[in-house]
Amino acid sequence: MAGNIELLSATLAKAKSEDRAALIAYLPAGFPTVDGGIEAVKAVLDAGADVVEIGLPHSDPVLDGPVIQTADDIALRGGVKIADVMRTVREAHRASGKPVLVMTYWNPIDRYGIERFTAELAEAGGAGCILPDLPVQESEVWRKHAEQHGLATVFVVAPSSTDERLAKITAAGSGFVYAASLMGVTGTRASVGAQAEDLVRRTRATTDLPVCVGLGVSNPEQAAEVAAFADGVIVGSAFVKRILDAPDEAAGLAAVRELASELARGVRRN
């Protein structure tokens, strides 16, 4: 099953050829349950997401906001394991034929074993990994194993990254670049949006890789706004919140399906 990085690249290129941004959804494995999480991921892909990121729940998700922290806590209390993450990847990819990545902090991979993790992710049909806290200068062993298994290594850049740092990060990465910014509260959003647009411009100056933005997008209007300057729009908390707010699992599935459909229209509204 190795080589799904090509599927990821082809999916992003197809969106570009259609003159739109790709819709990339994020949901944690094991939330609200392992089976419920798999159904939620399938629903989001079925309703219009081009790519999905499966979060590997972590006890100290320092880079995630309270919504995703709450979901991670539910998944961990439910006993989610890395095997469940791999099963989620396998079933989502098999059902949709679309690229599925894992987003994880470095510590769980380090404990599990790099070779074991990359081999299992490739075998499950995974397209790669987003590693928000792995410094590029410490990533060589990971990248070697990922490359051997046909997996993308997606690094995260931020508005605080210098141009020199951006060049180092993008030279080491593959698949796409994850540009992280925060939408902020109403009133600051215009300036934060401008900051994200500037980050995309600076990142593109260093690489031909697609640049996808995680910006606190939660509705089709915001998706359209980000799609105007980015290659992909990454949405996580909004999906998680729909499930958290739902009275039961069926309502949660309907809610994420509806949101994916709305966002898919949003990224096409240019």
Side-chain angles (χ1 to χ4, degrees):
M1 293 292 284
N4 274 330
I5 184 174
E6 283 87 2
L7 175 64
L8 176 64
S9 299
T11 300
L12 294 170
K14 181 173 184 289
K16 188 173 187 177
S17 75
E18 294 169 0
D19 196 27
R20 67 175 180 89
L23 175 59
I24 303 175
Y26 166 94
L27 281 165
F31 169 74
T33 61
V34 175
D35 289 345
I38 289 168
E39 291 311 310
V41 173
K42 286 181 185 174
V44 163
L45 286 165
D46 189 49
D50 299 289
V51 179
V52 75
E53 303 169 5
I54 306 296
L56 194 161
H58 193 259
S59 54
D60 186 25
V62 288
L63 301 176
D64 292 311
V67 171
I68 290 171
Q69 285 185 21
T70 300
D72 276 8
D73 188 48
I74 290 167
L76 290 166
R77 279 190 281 123
V80 71
K81 301 279 189 292
I82 287 180
D84 300 313
V85 177
M86 297 300 178
R87 185 183 145 215
T88 303
V89 170
R90 179 181 291 105
E91 296 199 20
H93 176 63
R94 188 186 291 155
S96 67
K98 293 180 178 181
V100 182
L101 298 103
V102 168
M103 186 166 189
T104 178
Y105 293 95
W106 180 245
N107 184 258
I109 293 179
D110 200 29
R111 284 209 313 264
Y112 197 70
I114 299 172
E115 171 55 26
R116 183 182 174 199
F117 190 93
T118 50
E120 288 183 10
L121 183 55
E123 189 276 325
C129 232
I130 301 159
L131 300 159
D133 67 338
L134 176 64
V136 168
Q137 61 272 23
E138 295 171 23
S139 68
E140 194 178 343
V141 174
W142 160 268
R143 285 187 284 128
K144 187 182 78 169
H145 285 289
E147 209 171 296
Q148 283 169 356
H149 290 289
L151 298 170
T153 297
V154 178
F155 287 113
V156 178
V157 298
S160 57
S161 305
T162 63
D163 290 351
E164 184 187 13
R165 179 109 185 100
L166 285 176
K168 282 186 179 148
I169 293 170
T170 58
S174 54
F176 64 90
V177 182
Y178 188 124
S181 193
L182 295 172
M183 193 67 89
V185 295
T186 310
T188 63
R189 201 173 128 259
S191 61
V192 178
Q195 194 178 36
E197 189 167 358
D198 181 59
L199 175 59
V200 170
R201 180 188 58 74
R202 291 197 299 122
T203 304
R204 280 194 178 133
T206 71
T207 185
D208 291 330
L209 288 173
V211 183
C212 303
V213 173
L215 194 79
V217 168
S218 62
N219 63 46
E221 291 71 34
Q222 291 169 343
E225 185 184 332
V226 175
F229 61 81
D231 298 300
V233 179
I234 302 167
V235 181
S237 294
F239 283 115
V240 173
K241 193 168 186 316
R242 290 284 178 109
I243 296 172
L244 284 171
D245 290 348
D248 55 51
E249 214 165 282
L253 285 178
V256 293
R257 186 180 288 277
E258 178 187 46
L259 179 59
S261 177
E262 289 171 359
L263 293 167
R265 287 196 295 274
V267 298
R268 289 166 170 81
R269 201 190 301 163
N270 285 324

